[in-house]
């Protein structure tokens, strides 16, 4: 069962100004599946998510809305970000806000330590700044504007003009860490994954790092630099520190030692912040670097990256209102190879819902329970002598349990689900071939019928345990129908095939009910 290992997983903290779209939900679900899996394996698991609330962009929006930036952040956390987690059934252990006192105080502590250690100096900086990105842009990050911005240089991500800023700032001596970072990437090839993201970052660092401007004087919505309160901390420097301030850095050494280092799940577009700036900051502070930075791919809709600024954003509840949270979770984890870009379409979602969830898994569970009810009055029959097909199902249960766990340890979530689905498919084939309805017609086949249904019940129970991290709601309903002991999410997942159930089954409502076709094209509210 548990080897007592610690698994600390994080999502990026989300910028409160954004409206949640399925790209955010995708990151959350991936981290959640990993957390639920490890928790169910008995690992010492901690799952952190939260919100990024400082910076000029938030100050401007709040001012435009006639409220303070803190009021603005409170409103968005309450009306947008916390509800998102409910919509997609996220099991986070903590939710950090960068306006939390535990965060602000310890950002200052961290910064002071870097300052005292000589890693921070004062300098002049002039450059093009994108408020949307909250970052200075290199010339190569700018493109020619079009339309109302024709003739100006604009940010390639936001398509909006950049501002020429000149500031007297504090700088972090990041350039001193180029070689140590390259050594880290070399000694620990898994530090950055997948390979494509790793290669891009390694070649970026090989070109040499410049020092990083880490304070701003032009606005005051941020954490104050402890030795010079006329400056606030650069929002990315502030935000990255959430991963340790939430874990106890500066105020709970025992918790921090137990949890840190973390596995960071991020979009590949911000992998550079997490795999370059962040470990350099930690090295400077004498702290351990993260366990891993995993940069997942983009969701594409009609070939374009999903984001609000590109106007292709889809709100997660547009999907969950029709299909439910389990289907949302299953679809994005199954249909897209985690780490690669993937296309979302309503047609694909609808087709997989019907074929895989409703017909493949849901119908299998319903049929098995209905047959035990019909032929054995709801009492799970004992198995007699196992024939080869029965033994094959049991072997598959053991094999896919180990294979899925191995896939999860490599963050290959899609592969873990594909492994488990082999059991779904084999069980469906098994029932078709064994024809329990035919066996039921001759009392001479009573023992054989019992063996087949016992094997099938064992199989769907194993599926409930293995699928609980991905489709928690359906797994829990199935577990209840099997009269399983305790909660399905407490069943040791690394020995899923050894689950203990009751001696009877109860009625099971359809796990994935039929959806009217008019609702599955996305036009339903
Ligand atoms: Zn930008």
């Amino acid at each position: 069962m548990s080897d007592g290992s610690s698994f600390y997983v994080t999502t990026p903290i989300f910028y409160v100004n954004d409206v949640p779209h399925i790209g955010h939900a995708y990151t959350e679900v991936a981290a959640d599946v990993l957390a639920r899996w490890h928790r169910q394996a008995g690992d010492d698991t901690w799952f952190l998510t939260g919100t990024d609330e400082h910076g000029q962009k938030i100050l401007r929006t709040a001012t435009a809305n006639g409220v303070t930036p803190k009021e603005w952040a409170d409103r968005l956390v309450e009306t947008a970000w916390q509800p998102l987690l409910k919509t997609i059934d996220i099991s986070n252990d903590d939710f950090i806000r960068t306006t939390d006192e535990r965060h602000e105080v310890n950002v200052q502590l961290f910064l002071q330590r870097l300052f005292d250690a000589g890693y921070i100096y004062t300098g002049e900086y002039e450059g093009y700044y994108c408020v949307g990105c909250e970052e200075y842009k290199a010339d190569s990050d700018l493109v020619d504007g079009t339309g109302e911005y024709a003739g100006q240089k604009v940010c390639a991500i936001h398509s909006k003009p950049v501002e020429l800023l000149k500031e007297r700032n504090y700088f972090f001596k990041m350039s001193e860490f180029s070689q140590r970072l390259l050594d880290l990437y070399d000694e620990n090839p898994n530090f950055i994954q997948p390979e494509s993201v790793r290669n891009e970052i390694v070649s970026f660092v090989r070109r040499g790092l410049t020092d990083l401007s880490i304070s701003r004087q032009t606005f005051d919505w941020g954490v104050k630099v402890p030795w010079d309160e006329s400056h606030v901390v650069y929002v990315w420097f502030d935000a990255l520190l959430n991963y340790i301030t939430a874990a106890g850095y500066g105020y709970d050494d025992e918790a921090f030692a137990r949890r840190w280092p973390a596995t960071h799940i991020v979009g590949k577009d911000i992998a550079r912040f997490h795999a370059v700036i962040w470990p350099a900051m930690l090295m400077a502070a004498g702290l351990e670097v993260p366990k891993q930075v995993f940069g997942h791919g983009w969701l594409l809709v009609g070939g374009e990256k999903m984001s609000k600024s590109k106007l292709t954003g889809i709100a997660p509840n547009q999907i969950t209102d029709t299909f439910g949270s389990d289907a949302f979770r299953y679809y994005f984890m199954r249909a897209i190879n985690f780490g690669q870009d993937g296309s979302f379409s309503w047609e694909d979602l609808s087709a997989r819902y019907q074929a895989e969830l409703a017909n493949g898994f849901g119908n299998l569970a319903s049929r098995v329970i209905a047959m035990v009810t019909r032929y054995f009055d709801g009492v799970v029959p004992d198995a007699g002598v196992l024939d080869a097909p029965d033994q094959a199902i049991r072997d598959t249960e053991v094999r896919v349990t180990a294979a899925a766990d191995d896939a999860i340890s490599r963050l290959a979530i899609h592969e873990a689900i594909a492994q488990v689905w082999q059991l779904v498919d084999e069980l469906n084939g098994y029932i078709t071939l064994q024809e329990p309805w035919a066996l039921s017609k001759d009392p001479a086949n009573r023992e054989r019928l019992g063996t087949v249904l016992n094997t099938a019940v064992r199989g769907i129970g194993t599926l409930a345990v293995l699928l609980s991290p991905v489709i928690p709601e359906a797994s829990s309903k199935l577990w209840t129908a099997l009269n399983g002991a305790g909660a399905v999410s407490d069943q040791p997942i690394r020995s899923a095939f050894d689950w203990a159930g009751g001696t009877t089954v109860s009625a099971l409502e359809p796990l994935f009910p039929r959806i009217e076709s008019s609702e599955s094209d996305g036009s339903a509210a």
Side-chain angles (χ1 to χ4, degrees), residues 6 15 25 28 41 116 129 218 300 321 350 400 435 463 494 509 521-522:
S6 152
Y15 210 57
E28 287 284 349
D116 294 344
Y129 193 81
T218 47
L300 308 172
D321 286 352
S350 191
V400 303
E435 298 187 303
L463 286 174
R494 289 182 184 129
E509 58 183 298
D521 63 5

Side-chain angles (χ1 to χ4, degrees), residues 149-167:
Y149 304 126
Q152 299 181 61
K153 287 287 181 191
V154 300
C155 168
I157 294 168
H158 291 91
S159 308
K160 292 218 174 119
V162 287
E163 299 170 24
L164 183 64
L165 290 186
K166 186 173 184 174
E167 290 185 280

Side-chain angles (χ1 to χ4, degrees), residues 424-481:
V424 173
D425 294 339
E426 282 189 32
L427 276 168
N428 276 313
Y430 173 79
I431 288 170
T432 303
L433 282 174
Q434 300 304 318
E435 298 187 303
W437 49 89
L439 293 172
S440 76
K441 288 182 181 136
D442 184 350
N445 291 327
R446 188 76 179 161
E447 185 185 317
R448 181 65 201 146
L449 177 64
T451 303
V452 169
L453 289 182
N454 178 285
T455 301
V457 167
R458 294 293 324 157
I460 59 172
T462 299
L463 286 174
V465 177
L466 288 173
L467 290 171
S468 175
V470 183
I471 47 173
E473 221 177 281
S475 299
S476 178
K477 281 182 190 161
L478 175 54
W479 189 249
T480 302

Side-chain angles (χ1 to χ4, degrees), residues 115 120-125 167-172 215 227-228 231:
F115 184 73
I120 290 175
Y121 65 93
T122 319
E124 281 272 325
Y125 191 86
E167 290 185 280
R168 193 184 133 272
N169 285 339
Y170 292 102
F171 281 74
F172 168 49
S215 73
W227 62 87
D228 180 353
H231 285 252

